Amino acid sequence: MGSVRLLVLQALVAVVAIVLWHVLTTYPVFGKILLPPFFFSNPVDVAEQVVKWFVSGVIWKHLWITLWESILAFVIGSVGGVLVGFWFARQPRVAAVFDPYIKMVNALPRVVLAPIFTLWLGLGIWSKVALGVTLVFFIVFFNVYQGVKEVSQTILANGRMLGMNERQLMRHVYWPSALSWIFSSLHTSVGFAVVGAVVGEYLGSAAGLGYLIQQAEGIFDVGGVFAGMFVLAAFVLVIDAVVSIVERRLLVWRPAADSRP
Amino acid sequence: MAAAVSLNNVDVAFRLADGGTYRAVAQASLTVADGEFVAIVGPTGCGKSTLLNIAAGLLAPFSGGVEIYDAGLSGLNRQAGYLFQADALFPWKTAADNVAIGLEIAGIAASEARARAQQWLSRVGLGTFGDRYPHMLSGGQRKRVGLAQVLIRNPKILLMDEPFGPLDAQTRQIMGNLLLDLWSADKKAVLFVTHDLEEAIALSDRVVIMSAGPAARIIGDWKVPLARPRDIAEIKLDKAFHDLHREIWQVLRAEVIKGYAQTEAA
């Protein structure tokens, strides 16, 4: 499929969805409005709300807070995941000892941790960062662990025969191998950093996109909730695009076969 | 003249999952003189690659001695370069970086390492491919890069484990000639493992035959009386080549059948 045609079809999906939404919330069908605006709002109100946010400039502060929380959660979670992942992969005994606890914590739904983080770290950004870190850490950790453990034995032997010592093997073999695994999960881990931030804000905060949505919900302003969701979706799309650019830059050495349909 | 590689009564055994041991190689003795090209031929699974790993120091023998230039080997064999059967290039490095890495880790300045890598890429016929990543190269091109990667360090001994195994017949011939070309420049000691008897005779000074495993032994050792320089394709038409091939095949055939029967049974 040509890229122009694909773009047109993609836009068509949005247009049809919005038109349907507008028609069903505004005009009666068989004498009855199928989607009552009180529960479903309508596209015009939502668009108005979004425009108002951007025109008055209030949205920037909230976007900035959410972005900052996501970045911090991503960076701290990734650094932690890389360090622990490397450590466990190189020390099988340590990994064996901690294995049940890692599984236990990973199985825990992170939302239940939010109240604890709020108690410990207050209502500011750090309780949200902590929530994001618990999500990002495990994704990066498992990928680094896998990446280091699954380094090709032949490539490892080749490195040794070429004269590499342990430190050089780390730099030229283990690290690039782990990096490719980290990057293959980058979209997921960045997404989870945003999820952690927004959920944390939603459960208790004074700023951020999650806070906006929660405030609108508190006064039954469905239009505000939808508007918050749209801004959030656009925000995630932009971040994802940035990640794609970084990924393409750093993983040039990988065959592109799996990106073709 | 000192032997480059000398294996004395080497036994190799692996511990099995059920607690027993599998004796792969028994009482193998083999010497490779300095500057000599020796090929090891044997049926699949006879432990010829194992013997190579012993000479490389990647594997320790169960019993017996390994000497490299008259010094006992412990740990990795630092005088040897190893060309693997499987792809062993670093997929995250370009061809030029793959070749340069051996010099860089030895502490040679990056600019000099790169310049010498470029020379080596030209020598293996890939002068304009330096910025390609391994997945952008064909199987034969990857082997060329592998050769350059090993030879740039100028090892005294070259160990090769069916290096041209995955290539098609034409590419194998071209690679064989390239290898002889590079080798004749400074005559390293070569230990070349293959299951292809024709390839072994065409390339080497001596052909060593191993029996089928388990407990594979060395059962034959022939000198190859063919003049150098050789052309792999043309030498196969030589009468001396045919006579030697027939003679060795008499011995090898029984082992190949035995080895095949065992892999079928397993």
Side-chain angles (χ1 to χ4, degrees), chain A residues 154-155 157-158 160-164 168 172-173 176 252-255, chain B residues 56 76 78 82 84 88-93 101 105 133 135 149 153:
Chain A
T154 310
I155 290 176
N158 192 25
R160 291 218 170 86
M161 289 307 293
L162 289 172
M164 290 187 193
Q168 288 164 330
H172 294 287
V173 181
V252 279
W253 57 269
R254 271 221 302 221
Chain B
L76 285 182
R78 292 278 166 218
Y82 198 126
F84 293 84
L89 295 178
F90 305 107
W92 39 81
K93 289 185 187 294
I101 185 70
I105 57 179
Y133 286 91
H135 80 266
Q149 184 184 51
R153 294 178 64 242

PDB file of all heavy atoms in Angstrom, chain A residues 154-155 157-158 160-164 168 172-173 176 252-255, chain B residues 56 76 78 82 84 88-93 101 105 133 135 149 153:
ATOM      1  N   THR A 154      29.241 -18.400  20.255  1.00  0.00           N
ATOM      2  CA  THR A 154      30.279 -18.277  19.229  1.00  0.00           C
ATOM      3  C   THR A 154      30.885 -16.877  19.241  1.00  0.00           C
ATOM      4  O   THR A 154      32.109 -16.716  19.191  1.00  0.00           O
ATOM      5  CB  THR A 154      29.679 -18.558  17.841  1.00  0.00           C
ATOM      6  OG1 THR A 154      28.949 -19.772  17.894  1.00  0.00           O
ATOM      7  CG2 THR A 154      30.763 -18.653  16.802  1.00  0.00           C
ATOM      8  N   ILE A 155      30.018 -15.860  19.338  1.00  0.00           N
ATOM      9  CA  ILE A 155      30.517 -14.485  19.341  1.00  0.00           C
ATOM     10  C   ILE A 155      31.366 -14.245  20.584  1.00  0.00           C
ATOM     11  O   ILE A 155      32.415 -13.595  20.534  1.00  0.00           O
ATOM     12  CB  ILE A 155      29.335 -13.498  19.260  1.00  0.00           C
ATOM     13  CG1 ILE A 155      28.720 -13.584  17.865  1.00  0.00           C
ATOM     14  CG2 ILE A 155      29.775 -12.078  19.567  1.00  0.00           C
ATOM     15  CD1 ILE A 155      27.494 -12.729  17.676  1.00  0.00           C
ATOM     16  N   ALA A 157      33.087 -16.579  22.247  1.00  0.00           N
ATOM     17  CA  ALA A 157      34.357 -17.282  22.049  1.00  0.00           C
ATOM     18  C   ALA A 157      35.245 -16.499  21.085  1.00  0.00           C
ATOM     19  O   ALA A 157      36.463 -16.406  21.282  1.00  0.00           O
ATOM     20  CB  ALA A 157      34.100 -18.697  21.520  1.00  0.00           C
ATOM     21  N   ASN A 158      34.632 -15.917  20.057  1.00  0.00           N
ATOM     22  CA  ASN A 158      35.399 -15.110  19.104  1.00  0.00           C
ATOM     23  C   ASN A 158      36.045 -13.926  19.822  1.00  0.00           C
ATOM     24  O   ASN A 158      37.222 -13.633  19.609  1.00  0.00           O
ATOM     25  CB  ASN A 158      34.474 -14.627  17.978  1.00  0.00           C
ATOM     26  CG  ASN A 158      35.244 -14.050  16.813  1.00  0.00           C
ATOM     27  OD1 ASN A 158      36.412 -14.406  16.609  1.00  0.00           O
ATOM     28  ND2 ASN A 158      34.631 -13.163  16.064  1.00  0.00           N
ATOM     29  N   ARG A 160      36.876 -13.709  22.913  1.00  0.00           N
ATOM     30  CA  ARG A 160      37.980 -14.199  23.743  1.00  0.00           C
ATOM     31  C   ARG A 160      39.200 -14.496  22.887  1.00  0.00           C
ATOM     32  O   ARG A 160      40.324 -14.122  23.239  1.00  0.00           O
ATOM     33  CB  ARG A 160      37.557 -15.483  24.470  1.00  0.00           C
ATOM     34  CG  ARG A 160      36.520 -15.247  25.516  1.00  0.00           C
ATOM     35  CD  ARG A 160      36.752 -16.122  26.753  1.00  0.00           C
ATOM     36  NE  ARG A 160      35.881 -15.699  27.832  1.00  0.00           N
ATOM     37  CZ  ARG A 160      34.630 -16.136  27.991  1.00  0.00           C
ATOM     38  NH1 ARG A 160      34.136 -17.040  27.164  1.00  0.00           N
ATOM     39  NH2 ARG A 160      33.890 -15.680  28.971  1.00  0.00           N
ATOM     40  N   MET A 161      38.985 -15.178  21.743  1.00  0.00           N
ATOM     41  CA  MET A 161      40.122 -15.538  20.894  1.00  0.00           C
ATOM     42  C   MET A 161      40.778 -14.298  20.285  1.00  0.00           C
ATOM     43  O   MET A 161      41.955 -14.318  19.952  1.00  0.00           O
ATOM     44  CB  MET A 161      39.684 -16.486  19.765  1.00  0.00           C
ATOM     45  CG  MET A 161      39.334 -17.897  20.199  1.00  0.00           C
ATOM     46  SD  MET A 161      40.602 -18.729  21.175  1.00  0.00           S
ATOM     47  CE  MET A 161      41.918 -18.934  19.985  1.00  0.00           C
ATOM     48  N   LEU A 162      40.003 -13.215  20.143  1.00  0.00           N
ATOM     49  CA  LEU A 162      40.589 -11.974  19.618  1.00  0.00           C
ATOM     50  C   LEU A 162      41.333 -11.221  20.707  1.00  0.00           C
ATOM     51  O   LEU A 162      41.894 -10.164  20.447  1.00  0.00           O
ATOM     52  CB  LEU A 162      39.510 -11.076  19.014  1.00  0.00           C
ATOM     53  CG  LEU A 162      38.904 -11.554  17.687  1.00  0.00           C
ATOM     54  CD1 LEU A 162      37.718 -10.699  17.302  1.00  0.00           C
ATOM     55  CD2 LEU A 162      39.938 -11.555  16.582  1.00  0.00           C
ATOM     56  N   GLY A 163      41.303 -11.761  21.920  1.00  0.00           N
ATOM     57  CA  GLY A 163      42.119 -11.186  22.984  1.00  0.00           C
ATOM     58  C   GLY A 163      41.377 -10.302  23.959  1.00  0.00           C
ATOM     59  O   GLY A 163      42.004  -9.547  24.702  1.00  0.00           O
ATOM     60  N   MET A 164      40.045 -10.348  23.980  1.00  0.00           N
ATOM     61  CA  MET A 164      39.310  -9.471  24.894  1.00  0.00           C
ATOM     62  C   MET A 164      39.395  -9.995  26.327  1.00  0.00           C
ATOM     63  O   MET A 164      39.263 -11.193  26.568  1.00  0.00           O
ATOM     64  CB  MET A 164      37.834  -9.406  24.489  1.00  0.00           C
ATOM     65  CG  MET A 164      37.585  -8.657  23.202  1.00  0.00           C
ATOM     66  SD  MET A 164      35.821  -8.453  22.919  1.00  0.00           S
ATOM     67  CE  MET A 164      35.830  -7.915  21.217  1.00  0.00           C
ATOM     68  N   GLN A 168      36.548  -5.804  28.420  1.00  0.00           N
ATOM     69  CA  GLN A 168      36.336  -5.557  26.993  1.00  0.00           C
ATOM     70  C   GLN A 168      35.171  -6.375  26.448  1.00  0.00           C
ATOM     71  O   GLN A 168      34.425  -5.908  25.589  1.00  0.00           O
ATOM     72  CB  GLN A 168      37.618  -5.853  26.216  1.00  0.00           C
ATOM     73  CG  GLN A 168      38.687  -4.803  26.463  1.00  0.00           C
ATOM     74  CD  GLN A 168      40.063  -5.257  26.030  1.00  0.00           C
ATOM     75  OE1 GLN A 168      40.368  -6.454  26.057  1.00  0.00           O
ATOM     76  NE2 GLN A 168      40.910  -4.313  25.653  1.00  0.00           N
ATOM     77  N   HIS A 172      32.192  -4.684  24.473  1.00  0.00           N
ATOM     78  CA  HIS A 172      32.020  -4.947  23.049  1.00  0.00           C
ATOM     79  C   HIS A 172      31.028  -6.062  22.739  1.00  0.00           C
ATOM     80  O   HIS A 172      30.590  -6.197  21.604  1.00  0.00           O
ATOM     81  CB  HIS A 172      33.363  -5.294  22.405  1.00  0.00           C
ATOM     82  CG  HIS A 172      34.338  -4.152  22.411  1.00  0.00           C
ATOM     83  ND1 HIS A 172      34.203  -3.067  21.590  1.00  0.00           N
ATOM     84  CD2 HIS A 172      35.436  -3.928  23.168  1.00  0.00           C
ATOM     85  CE1 HIS A 172      35.198  -2.217  21.819  1.00  0.00           C
ATOM     86  NE2 HIS A 172      35.953  -2.717  22.779  1.00  0.00           N
ATOM     87  N   VAL A 173      30.713  -6.895  23.729  1.00  0.00           N
ATOM     88  CA  VAL A 173      29.811  -8.016  23.457  1.00  0.00           C
ATOM     89  C   VAL A 173      28.545  -7.966  24.319  1.00  0.00           C
ATOM     90  O   VAL A 173      27.438  -7.834  23.789  1.00  0.00           O
ATOM     91  CB  VAL A 173      30.527  -9.371  23.667  1.00  0.00           C
ATOM     92  CG1 VAL A 173      29.575 -10.514  23.357  1.00  0.00           C
ATOM     93  CG2 VAL A 173      31.755  -9.456  22.781  1.00  0.00           C
ATOM     94  N   PRO A 176      26.394  -4.312  23.975  1.00  0.00           N
ATOM     95  CA  PRO A 176      25.603  -4.119  22.760  1.00  0.00           C
ATOM     96  C   PRO A 176      24.479  -5.136  22.634  1.00  0.00           C
ATOM     97  O   PRO A 176      23.394  -4.810  22.155  1.00  0.00           O
ATOM     98  CB  PRO A 176      26.622  -4.308  21.631  1.00  0.00           C
ATOM     99  CG  PRO A 176      27.944  -4.210  22.251  1.00  0.00           C
ATOM    100  CD  PRO A 176      27.815  -4.554  23.693  1.00  0.00           C
ATOM    101  N   VAL A 252      20.937   0.729  13.876  1.00  0.00           N
ATOM    102  CA  VAL A 252      21.146   0.629  12.427  1.00  0.00           C
ATOM    103  C   VAL A 252      21.699  -0.726  12.027  1.00  0.00           C
ATOM    104  O   VAL A 252      21.517  -1.159  10.902  1.00  0.00           O
ATOM    105  CB  VAL A 252      22.121   1.704  11.900  1.00  0.00           C
ATOM    106  CG1 VAL A 252      21.408   3.008  11.722  1.00  0.00           C
ATOM    107  CG2 VAL A 252      23.317   1.852  12.800  1.00  0.00           C
ATOM    108  N   TRP A 253      22.378  -1.384  12.941  1.00  0.00           N
ATOM    109  CA  TRP A 253      23.039  -2.631  12.569  1.00  0.00           C
ATOM    110  C   TRP A 253      22.072  -3.795  12.451  1.00  0.00           C
ATOM    111  O   TRP A 253      22.438  -4.857  11.966  1.00  0.00           O
ATOM    112  CB  TRP A 253      24.135  -2.975  13.585  1.00  0.00           C
ATOM    113  CG  TRP A 253      23.654  -3.092  14.988  1.00  0.00           C
ATOM    114  CD1 TRP A 253      23.603  -2.103  15.919  1.00  0.00           C
ATOM    115  CD2 TRP A 253      23.145  -4.257  15.624  1.00  0.00           C
ATOM    116  NE1 TRP A 253      23.094  -2.574  17.090  1.00  0.00           N
ATOM    117  CE2 TRP A 253      22.808  -3.901  16.944  1.00  0.00           C
ATOM    118  CE3 TRP A 253      22.955  -5.586  15.202  1.00  0.00           C
ATOM    119  CZ2 TRP A 253      22.271  -4.806  17.844  1.00  0.00           C
ATOM    120  CZ3 TRP A 253      22.422  -6.480  16.107  1.00  0.00           C
ATOM    121  CH2 TRP A 253      22.083  -6.095  17.405  1.00  0.00           C
ATOM    122  N   ARG A 254      20.822  -3.594  12.888  1.00  0.00           N
ATOM    123  CA  ARG A 254      19.910  -4.735  12.868  1.00  0.00           C
ATOM    124  C   ARG A 254      19.195  -4.853  11.542  1.00  0.00           C
ATOM    125  O   ARG A 254      18.768  -3.864  10.975  1.00  0.00           O
ATOM    126  CB  ARG A 254      18.890  -4.600  13.990  1.00  0.00           C
ATOM    127  CG  ARG A 254      19.380  -5.222  15.260  1.00  0.00           C
ATOM    128  CD  ARG A 254      18.296  -5.961  15.965  1.00  0.00           C
ATOM    129  NE  ARG A 254      17.184  -5.082  16.257  1.00  0.00           N
ATOM    130  CZ  ARG A 254      16.520  -5.114  17.398  1.00  0.00           C
ATOM    131  NH1 ARG A 254      16.871  -5.945  18.331  1.00  0.00           N
ATOM    132  NH2 ARG A 254      15.510  -4.312  17.584  1.00  0.00           N
ATOM    133  N   PRO A 255      19.042  -6.087  11.034  1.00  0.00           N
ATOM    134  CA  PRO A 255      18.288  -6.245   9.789  1.00  0.00           C
ATOM    135  C   PRO A 255      16.872  -5.743   9.968  1.00  0.00           C
ATOM    136  O   PRO A 255      16.276  -5.913  11.022  1.00  0.00           O
ATOM    137  CB  PRO A 255      18.312  -7.751   9.543  1.00  0.00           C
ATOM    138  CG  PRO A 255      18.749  -8.372  10.825  1.00  0.00           C
ATOM    139  CD  PRO A 255      19.526  -7.339  11.566  1.00  0.00           C
TER     140      PRO A 255
ATOM    141  N   ALA B  56      42.915 -24.469  20.701  1.00  0.00           N
ATOM    142  CA  ALA B  56      42.652 -23.045  20.926  1.00  0.00           C
ATOM    143  C   ALA B  56      42.677 -22.706  22.409  1.00  0.00           C
ATOM    144  O   ALA B  56      42.736 -21.534  22.778  1.00  0.00           O
ATOM    145  CB  ALA B  56      41.305 -22.666  20.330  1.00  0.00           C
ATOM    146  N   LEU B  76      43.668 -19.746  27.385  1.00  0.00           N
ATOM    147  CA  LEU B  76      43.510 -19.544  25.947  1.00  0.00           C
ATOM    148  C   LEU B  76      44.855 -19.527  25.233  1.00  0.00           C
ATOM    149  O   LEU B  76      45.866 -19.102  25.782  1.00  0.00           O
ATOM    150  CB  LEU B  76      42.805 -18.213  25.681  1.00  0.00           C
ATOM    151  CG  LEU B  76      41.304 -18.169  25.959  1.00  0.00           C
ATOM    152  CD1 LEU B  76      40.754 -16.807  25.602  1.00  0.00           C
ATOM    153  CD2 LEU B  76      40.585 -19.250  25.171  1.00  0.00           C
ATOM    154  N   ARG B  78      47.076 -17.785  23.118  1.00  0.00           N
ATOM    155  CA  ARG B  78      47.208 -16.381  22.685  1.00  0.00           C
ATOM    156  C   ARG B  78      47.926 -16.233  21.358  1.00  0.00           C
ATOM    157  O   ARG B  78      47.976 -15.144  20.791  1.00  0.00           O
ATOM    158  CB  ARG B  78      47.970 -15.587  23.758  1.00  0.00           C
ATOM    159  CG  ARG B  78      47.203 -15.428  25.036  1.00  0.00           C
ATOM    160  CD  ARG B  78      46.218 -14.275  24.928  1.00  0.00           C
ATOM    161  NE  ARG B  78      45.258 -14.312  26.012  1.00  0.00           N
ATOM    162  CZ  ARG B  78      43.962 -14.001  25.853  1.00  0.00           C
ATOM    163  NH1 ARG B  78      43.514 -13.685  24.672  1.00  0.00           N
ATOM    164  NH2 ARG B  78      43.152 -14.031  26.874  1.00  0.00           N
ATOM    165  N   TYR B  82      41.300 -17.834  15.416  1.00  0.00           N
ATOM    166  CA  TYR B  82      40.305 -18.885  15.266  1.00  0.00           C
ATOM    167  C   TYR B  82      39.216 -18.394  14.322  1.00  0.00           C
ATOM    168  O   TYR B  82      38.603 -17.374  14.572  1.00  0.00           O
ATOM    169  CB  TYR B  82      39.704 -19.206  16.638  1.00  0.00           C
ATOM    170  CG  TYR B  82      38.975 -20.523  16.748  1.00  0.00           C
ATOM    171  CD1 TYR B  82      39.313 -21.455  17.725  1.00  0.00           C
ATOM    172  CD2 TYR B  82      37.931 -20.835  15.896  1.00  0.00           C
ATOM    173  CE1 TYR B  82      38.649 -22.666  17.849  1.00  0.00           C
ATOM    174  CE2 TYR B  82      37.257 -22.034  15.998  1.00  0.00           C
ATOM    175  CZ  TYR B  82      37.618 -22.946  16.971  1.00  0.00           C
ATOM    176  OH  TYR B  82      36.948 -24.135  17.088  1.00  0.00           O
ATOM    177  N   PHE B  84      35.629 -19.349  13.029  1.00  0.00           N
ATOM    178  CA  PHE B  84      34.552 -20.247  13.442  1.00  0.00           C
ATOM    179  C   PHE B  84      33.690 -20.671  12.269  1.00  0.00           C
ATOM    180  O   PHE B  84      33.627 -20.003  11.235  1.00  0.00           O
ATOM    181  CB  PHE B  84      33.666 -19.552  14.482  1.00  0.00           C
ATOM    182  CG  PHE B  84      34.378 -19.302  15.780  1.00  0.00           C
ATOM    183  CD1 PHE B  84      35.174 -18.182  15.949  1.00  0.00           C
ATOM    184  CD2 PHE B  84      34.243 -20.191  16.830  1.00  0.00           C
ATOM    185  CE1 PHE B  84      35.830 -17.957  17.141  1.00  0.00           C
ATOM    186  CE2 PHE B  84      34.890 -19.960  18.027  1.00  0.00           C
ATOM    187  CZ  PHE B  84      35.690 -18.851  18.185  1.00  0.00           C
ATOM    188  N   ALA B  88      30.518 -15.413  13.458  1.00  0.00           N
ATOM    189  CA  ALA B  88      31.086 -14.968  14.723  1.00  0.00           C
ATOM    190  C   ALA B  88      31.395 -13.479  14.700  1.00  0.00           C
ATOM    191  O   ALA B  88      31.940 -12.953  15.647  1.00  0.00           O
ATOM    192  CB  ALA B  88      32.348 -15.764  15.049  1.00  0.00           C
ATOM    193  N   LEU B  89      31.025 -12.809  13.610  1.00  0.00           N
ATOM    194  CA  LEU B  89      31.244 -11.357  13.568  1.00  0.00           C
ATOM    195  C   LEU B  89      30.329 -10.692  14.580  1.00  0.00           C
ATOM    196  O   LEU B  89      29.264 -11.208  14.902  1.00  0.00           O
ATOM    197  CB  LEU B  89      30.929 -10.811  12.176  1.00  0.00           C
ATOM    198  CG  LEU B  89      31.825 -11.287  11.044  1.00  0.00           C
ATOM    199  CD1 LEU B  89      31.345 -10.703   9.727  1.00  0.00           C
ATOM    200  CD2 LEU B  89      33.274 -10.889  11.299  1.00  0.00           C
ATOM    201  N   PHE B  90      30.748  -9.517  15.078  1.00  0.00           N
ATOM    202  CA  PHE B  90      29.896  -8.772  15.987  1.00  0.00           C
ATOM    203  C   PHE B  90      28.844  -8.044  15.149  1.00  0.00           C
ATOM    204  O   PHE B  90      29.191  -7.145  14.385  1.00  0.00           O
ATOM    205  CB  PHE B  90      30.730  -7.785  16.806  1.00  0.00           C
ATOM    206  CG  PHE B  90      31.863  -8.456  17.533  1.00  0.00           C
ATOM    207  CD1 PHE B  90      33.174  -8.295  17.126  1.00  0.00           C
ATOM    208  CD2 PHE B  90      31.605  -9.283  18.615  1.00  0.00           C
ATOM    209  CE1 PHE B  90      34.211  -8.940  17.778  1.00  0.00           C
ATOM    210  CE2 PHE B  90      32.640  -9.928  19.276  1.00  0.00           C
ATOM    211  CZ  PHE B  90      33.942  -9.762  18.853  1.00  0.00           C
ATOM    212  N   PRO B  91      27.573  -8.443  15.286  1.00  0.00           N
ATOM    213  CA  PRO B  91      26.566  -7.895  14.368  1.00  0.00           C
ATOM    214  C   PRO B  91      26.346  -6.402  14.545  1.00  0.00           C
ATOM    215  O   PRO B  91      25.809  -5.745  13.657  1.00  0.00           O
ATOM    216  CB  PRO B  91      25.291  -8.686  14.718  1.00  0.00           C
ATOM    217  CG  PRO B  91      25.525  -9.284  16.051  1.00  0.00           C
ATOM    218  CD  PRO B  91      27.011  -9.421  16.217  1.00  0.00           C
ATOM    219  N   TRP B  92      26.744  -5.864  15.701  1.00  0.00           N
ATOM    220  CA  TRP B  92      26.517  -4.441  15.961  1.00  0.00           C
ATOM    221  C   TRP B  92      27.697  -3.580  15.525  1.00  0.00           C
ATOM    222  O   TRP B  92      27.720  -2.382  15.786  1.00  0.00           O
ATOM    223  CB  TRP B  92      26.253  -4.217  17.457  1.00  0.00           C
ATOM    224  CG  TRP B  92      27.102  -5.078  18.330  1.00  0.00           C
ATOM    225  CD1 TRP B  92      28.395  -4.850  18.690  1.00  0.00           C
ATOM    226  CD2 TRP B  92      26.722  -6.307  18.948  1.00  0.00           C
ATOM    227  NE1 TRP B  92      28.853  -5.857  19.472  1.00  0.00           N
ATOM    228  CE2 TRP B  92      27.836  -6.762  19.657  1.00  0.00           C
ATOM    229  CE3 TRP B  92      25.535  -7.048  18.954  1.00  0.00           C
ATOM    230  CZ2 TRP B  92      27.809  -7.967  20.376  1.00  0.00           C
ATOM    231  CZ3 TRP B  92      25.526  -8.224  19.671  1.00  0.00           C
ATOM    232  CH2 TRP B  92      26.642  -8.671  20.363  1.00  0.00           C
ATOM    233  N   LYS B  93      28.696  -4.172  14.898  1.00  0.00           N
ATOM    234  CA  LYS B  93      29.824  -3.388  14.401  1.00  0.00           C
ATOM    235  C   LYS B  93      29.861  -3.476  12.877  1.00  0.00           C
ATOM    236  O   LYS B  93      29.529  -4.507  12.309  1.00  0.00           O
ATOM    237  CB  LYS B  93      31.137  -3.937  14.964  1.00  0.00           C
ATOM    238  CG  LYS B  93      31.340  -3.666  16.447  1.00  0.00           C
ATOM    239  CD  LYS B  93      32.722  -4.144  16.871  1.00  0.00           C
ATOM    240  CE  LYS B  93      32.911  -4.055  18.372  1.00  0.00           C
ATOM    241  NZ  LYS B  93      32.911  -2.681  18.869  1.00  0.00           N
ATOM    242  N   ILE B 101      38.731  -4.338  15.520  1.00  0.00           N
ATOM    243  CA  ILE B 101      38.547  -4.525  16.964  1.00  0.00           C
ATOM    244  C   ILE B 101      39.731  -5.262  17.613  1.00  0.00           C
ATOM    245  O   ILE B 101      40.159  -4.908  18.718  1.00  0.00           O
ATOM    246  CB  ILE B 101      37.207  -5.256  17.255  1.00  0.00           C
ATOM    247  CG1 ILE B 101      36.950  -5.352  18.756  1.00  0.00           C
ATOM    248  CG2 ILE B 101      37.164  -6.645  16.667  1.00  0.00           C
ATOM    249  CD1 ILE B 101      36.623  -4.043  19.390  1.00  0.00           C
ATOM    250  N   ILE B 105      41.531  -3.495  20.901  1.00  0.00           N
ATOM    251  CA  ILE B 105      41.587  -4.023  22.265  1.00  0.00           C
ATOM    252  C   ILE B 105      43.020  -4.322  22.670  1.00  0.00           C
ATOM    253  O   ILE B 105      43.309  -4.446  23.853  1.00  0.00           O
ATOM    254  CB  ILE B 105      40.714  -5.282  22.446  1.00  0.00           C
ATOM    255  CG1 ILE B 105      41.124  -6.366  21.477  1.00  0.00           C
ATOM    256  CG2 ILE B 105      39.256  -4.964  22.313  1.00  0.00           C
ATOM    257  CD1 ILE B 105      40.319  -7.616  21.624  1.00  0.00           C
ATOM    258  N   TYR B 133      27.103  -3.315   7.703  1.00  0.00           N
ATOM    259  CA  TYR B 133      26.947  -4.193   8.865  1.00  0.00           C
ATOM    260  C   TYR B 133      26.858  -5.634   8.381  1.00  0.00           C
ATOM    261  O   TYR B 133      26.473  -5.875   7.233  1.00  0.00           O
ATOM    262  CB  TYR B 133      25.693  -3.803   9.653  1.00  0.00           C
ATOM    263  CG  TYR B 133      25.878  -2.535  10.416  1.00  0.00           C
ATOM    264  CD1 TYR B 133      25.546  -1.302   9.859  1.00  0.00           C
ATOM    265  CD2 TYR B 133      26.449  -2.554  11.692  1.00  0.00           C
ATOM    266  CE1 TYR B 133      25.754  -0.128  10.558  1.00  0.00           C
ATOM    267  CE2 TYR B 133      26.655  -1.387  12.389  1.00  0.00           C
ATOM    268  CZ  TYR B 133      26.310  -0.168  11.821  1.00  0.00           C
ATOM    269  OH  TYR B 133      26.527   0.982  12.513  1.00  0.00           O
ATOM    270  N   HIS B 135      24.813  -8.028   8.557  1.00  0.00           N
ATOM    271  CA  HIS B 135      23.597  -8.554   7.932  1.00  0.00           C
ATOM    272  C   HIS B 135      23.410  -8.032   6.512  1.00  0.00           C
ATOM    273  O   HIS B 135      22.581  -8.544   5.774  1.00  0.00           O
ATOM    274  CB  HIS B 135      22.368  -8.224   8.785  1.00  0.00           C
ATOM    275  CG  HIS B 135      21.851  -6.832   8.633  1.00  0.00           C
ATOM    276  ND1 HIS B 135      22.234  -5.806   9.465  1.00  0.00           N
ATOM    277  CD2 HIS B 135      20.995  -6.278   7.738  1.00  0.00           C
ATOM    278  CE1 HIS B 135      21.625  -4.699   9.077  1.00  0.00           C
ATOM    279  NE2 HIS B 135      20.880  -4.946   8.047  1.00  0.00           N
ATOM    280  N   GLN B 149      39.465 -10.245  10.095  1.00  0.00           N
ATOM    281  CA  GLN B 149      39.393  -9.994  11.532  1.00  0.00           C
ATOM    282  C   GLN B 149      40.439 -10.824  12.288  1.00  0.00           C
ATOM    283  O   GLN B 149      41.063 -10.350  13.229  1.00  0.00           O
ATOM    284  CB  GLN B 149      37.985 -10.357  12.021  1.00  0.00           C
ATOM    285  CG  GLN B 149      37.723 -10.074  13.479  1.00  0.00           C
ATOM    286  CD  GLN B 149      36.343 -10.547  13.902  1.00  0.00           C
ATOM    287  OE1 GLN B 149      35.971 -11.694  13.653  1.00  0.00           O
ATOM    288  NE2 GLN B 149      35.584  -9.672  14.523  1.00  0.00           N
ATOM    289  N   ARG B 153      45.496  -9.543  13.327  1.00  0.00           N
ATOM    290  CA  ARG B 153      46.261  -9.649  14.576  1.00  0.00           C
ATOM    291  C   ARG B 153      47.568 -10.416  14.350  1.00  0.00           C
ATOM    292  O   ARG B 153      48.365 -10.578  15.268  1.00  0.00           O
ATOM    293  CB  ARG B 153      45.440 -10.351  15.649  1.00  0.00           C
ATOM    294  CG  ARG B 153      44.219  -9.553  16.073  1.00  0.00           C
ATOM    295  CD  ARG B 153      43.409 -10.298  17.100  1.00  0.00           C
ATOM    296  NE  ARG B 153      44.122 -10.511  18.342  1.00  0.00           N
ATOM    297  CZ  ARG B 153      44.428 -11.692  18.834  1.00  0.00           C
ATOM    298  NH1 ARG B 153      44.075 -12.784  18.196  1.00  0.00           N
ATOM    299  NH2 ARG B 153      45.093 -11.787  19.964  1.00  0.00           N
TER     300      ARG B 153
END
